[in-house]
Amino acid sequence: MEEESDSRKIDNSFLRDHNYATEVQLYWRALGHRRQGGRVVVFQREQESKNQPHRRGEYNVYSTFQSHEPEFDYLKSLEIEEKINKIRWLPQQNAAYFLLSTNDKTVKLWKISERDKRPEGYNLKDEDGRFRDPATITSLRVPVLRPMDLMVEATPRRVFSNAHTYHINSISVNSDYETFMSTDDLRINLWNLEITNRSFNIVDIKPANMEELTEVITAAEFHPHQCNTFVYSSSKGSIRLCDMRASALCDNHSKFFEEPEDPSNRSFFSEIISSISDVKFSHSGRYLMTRDYLTVKVWDLNMESKPLETYQVHDYLRSKLCSLYENDCIFDKFECVWNGSDSVIMTGSYNNFFRMFDRNTKRDVTLEASRENSKPRAILKPRKVCVGGKRRKDEISVDSLDFSKKILHTAWHPSENIIAVAATNNLYIFQDKVN
């Protein structure tokens, strides 16, 4: 945005007037935060209190559990890390919560439930839980439920394994809530949530000769309303829309989205920075959003030739691609998200910066998630990156950016202006200012 433009003119849907409170708050009733050590932490938003309205939206840890353990593939002499790649919530059907989590090889379905009563008066067990000798049982008792302190339990309900040769990079729950798909570099598998011992391979791009391999699958997602439709993106910057009604193996796509490359911008890094790291359907199902290294693009499903909108995330890094290649940052995989009304999109950058783009007003803003400037209920100020030699007081030089601090994962509440931002090992929650 221009220096003299008033950032407070941004549309209300843009998290009103840039006022954010930095409480630890999350979306849905509970949200999962994945960690390197294979643990899942679920936060719960506290109920609003009439006596303490300022406590609106504060979050506490609801449950934490070990989702995956380190494993070793003896056939390939390969260590499988416990690191969780993706978490996806299933729609809530009853009092319990269900989520899918995956590491490089195995997807697990977890149930998170509450228990505040315990059964007492077993016939075949004594009070210590030891089994009684049936010969000593002379009368029958009716077990009763006694109150106990609330306990939150996380139990694995299904384990979906042994279906991927390569590392799983994404999972997506279908709108029929009966199936989901898991994606690795070369294949996409379709699973039924009730069946763990088999899956159906719906996409396979592995060539007969691996030397002929020219691209890999980077992400995939189901359409939000049409259970037969899904998209997957590739390292060549293309997106394929597939219809499972057409054939069992969706090697032939229904639609192909790709932006022709400008020959004048061709460089050694062109292919790397054009690789798509994330693809998301809009809530309406009409649009697609893709994130590559430097830009976010919005595609209309009815127009395959070029993106409808292109937003520059950090174009000032174009001159730094050589050093970013040397330190491997150029291979970072940034995610992108829509707000609830599909009018604003958000994605991460370096130096703990994250970017928001208003699709209606075409305004954008850069904000920073860091402990230094994020005290509870503080107001986040827009940040600007200076490319030239002269730097203003509130600007930061592109040469001063910390590339070890990066925001790869973001999330937006489906109906409220609450966002979650993961910066290294910290999770920040921002929301509208409470008046």
Side-chain angles (χ1 to χ4, degrees):
M1 292 190 298
E2 295 297 318
E3 178 66 31
E4 61 271 9
S5 67
D6 184 0
S7 62
R8 288 183 171 270
K9 291 179 183 175
I10 291 181
D11 188 272
N12 281 349
S13 61
F14 214 36
L15 291 184
R16 284 189 290 276
D17 289 342
H18 283 331
N19 294 334
Y20 305 83
T22 63
E23 301 280 45
V24 180
Q25 306 161 60
L26 285 263
Y27 68 91
W28 281 27
R29 181 169 129 89
L31 175 144
H33 172 43
R34 53 196 146 128
R35 296 171 62 168
Q36 291 289 92
R39 292 186 69 77
V40 173
V41 183
V42 180
F43 295 84
Q44 179 183 28
R45 182 160 61 170
E46 296 300 316
Q47 297 297 319
E48 283 190 42
S49 168
K50 291 182 179 178
N51 301 328
Q52 296 175 300
H54 66 278
R55 288 180 63 86
R56 166 198 168 196
E58 290 190 5
Y59 276 74
N60 292 317
V61 174
Y62 179 67
S63 174
T64 175
F65 59 93
Q66 188 72 29
S67 175
H68 287 73
E69 302 282 354
E71 300 173 49
F72 193 80
D73 187 337
Y74 294 97
L75 292 175
K76 297 184 177 178
S77 296
L78 186 69
E79 189 176 348
I80 302 169
E81 295 181 48
E82 66 270 38
K83 175 176 68 77
I84 299 171
N85 294 337
K86 293 285 180 185
I87 291 176
R88 289 289 178 264
W89 287 99
L90 273 68
Q92 191 175 0
Q93 308 288 344
N94 50 38
Y97 303 100
F98 289 87
L99 62 84
L100 288 168
S101 64
T102 182
N103 66 351
D104 287 339
K105 298 289 183 182
T106 304
V107 183
K108 293 185 179 181
L109 173 67
W110 289 89
K111 177 184 179 182
I112 305 170
S113 54
E114 298 179 357
R115 190 150 60 94
D116 59 0
K117 292 181 177 64
R118 67 168 178 268
E120 289 184 0
Y122 286 107
N123 287 286
L124 300 177
K125 294 180 185 176
D126 59 22
E127 300 306 322
D128 297 327
R130 291 175 296 190
F131 282 97
R132 300 167 61 188
D133 181 0
T136 64
I137 302 175
T138 58
S139 61
L140 291 178
R141 294 186 291 178
V142 178
V144 293
L145 292 173
R146 303 282 187 204
M148 59 175 277
D149 292 336
L150 179 68
M151 189 168 76
V152 179
E153 296 177 314
T155 51
R157 300 304 302 269
R158 306 274 189 279
V159 177
F160 307 90
S161 57
N162 303 321
H164 286 277
T165 307
Y166 307 97
H167 291 179
I168 298 172
N169 56 45
S170 60
I171 50 177
S172 178
V173 181
N174 202 347
S175 59
D176 62 11
Y177 306 140
E178 294 180 3
T179 56
F180 74 93
M181 64 181 174
S182 56
T183 308
D184 66 26
D185 289 347
L186 299 179
R187 295 188 179 97
I188 300 176
N189 292 331
L190 180 70
W191 301 83
N192 188 297
L193 284 163
E194 300 294 325
I195 303 169
T196 61
N197 59 0
R198 71 172 182 271
S199 61
F200 298 96
N201 180 222
I202 54 175
V203 172
D204 188 347
I205 66 167
K206 184 180 180 180
N209 181 1
M210 283 295 279
E211 291 181 1
E212 298 172 2
L213 183 68
T214 58
E215 63 181 333
V216 295
I217 301 170
T218 55
E221 188 178 66
F222 272 116
H223 191 281
H225 314 304
Q226 300 168 8
C227 61
N228 55 281
T229 307
F230 68 93
V231 294
Y232 68 91
S233 57
S234 85
S235 56
K236 275 194 165 181
S238 59
I239 310 107
R240 291 168 174 84
L241 181 82
C242 299
D243 188 340
M244 291 191 291
R245 295 172 301 184
S247 64
L249 193 62
C250 300
D251 284 349
N252 295 319
H253 47 267
S254 302
K255 292 189 176 183
F256 182 79
F257 303 86
E258 187 175 51
E259 185 174 27
E261 186 184 9
D262 183 355
S264 62
N265 288 335
R266 178 77 185 165
S267 73
F268 171 78
F269 305 106
S270 293
E271 195 165 316
I272 302 173
I273 63 173
S274 67
S275 176
I276 294 173
S277 57
D278 195 20
V279 58
K280 292 274 173 51
F281 275 104
S282 62
H283 294 87
S284 67
R286 170 70 188 272
Y287 303 102
L288 275 174
M289 172 168 55
T290 59
R291 171 71 206 263
D292 56 42
Y293 191 66
L294 294 178
T295 67
V296 173
K297 294 171 182 171
V298 176
W299 303 76
D300 189 325
L301 288 188
N302 297 325
M303 186 171 73
E304 301 171 56
S305 57
K306 62 179 181 179
L308 194 65
E309 303 154 18
T310 300
Y311 301 96
Q312 300 294 334
V313 178
H314 37 215
D315 200 48
Y316 46 79
L317 295 182
R318 202 174 284 275
S319 61
K320 302 281 183 185
L321 293 179
C322 191
S323 57
L324 290 165
Y325 178 78
E326 290 173 357
N327 64 16
D328 282 347
C329 283
I330 201 168
F331 302 106
D332 287 334
K333 299 186 185 306
F334 293 95
E335 294 178 2
C336 52
V337 291
W338 303 86
N339 73 335
S341 61
D342 299 332
S343 60
V344 182
I345 57 182
M346 174 174 64
T347 191
S349 181
Y350 293 103
N351 208 69
N352 279 358
F353 288 169
F354 58 98
R355 304 268 283 138
M356 290 182 173
F357 304 93
D358 191 311
R359 298 180 59 213
N360 297 324
T361 64
K362 302 304 178 189
R363 293 181 179 274
D364 64 277
V365 66
T366 302
L367 299 169
E368 182 180 5
S370 66
R371 288 191 168 188
E372 290 75 30
N373 65 1
S374 295
K375 295 174 183 175
R377 309 192 186 286
I379 307 298
L380 283 192
K381 295 180 180 177
R383 302 300 307 268
K384 293 186 183 296
V385 178
C386 165
V387 182
K390 235 181 180 183
R391 184 166 61 90
R392 302 197 182 186
K393 180 183 171 184
D394 57 342
E395 292 180 336
I396 181 170
S397 168
V398 67
D399 297 316
S400 304
L401 296 175
D402 187 344
F403 294 104
S404 66
K405 296 179 178 178
K406 57 192 81 171
I407 292 178
L408 302 178
H409 314 294
T410 55
W412 202 308
H413 191 288
S415 58
E416 297 181 44
N417 274 334
I418 302 175
I419 59 174
V421 175
T424 320
N425 60 344
N426 294 311
L427 184 64
Y428 297 88
I429 311 300
F430 304 103
Q431 72 172 34
D432 275 346
K433 181 182 177 184
V434 182
N435 295 318

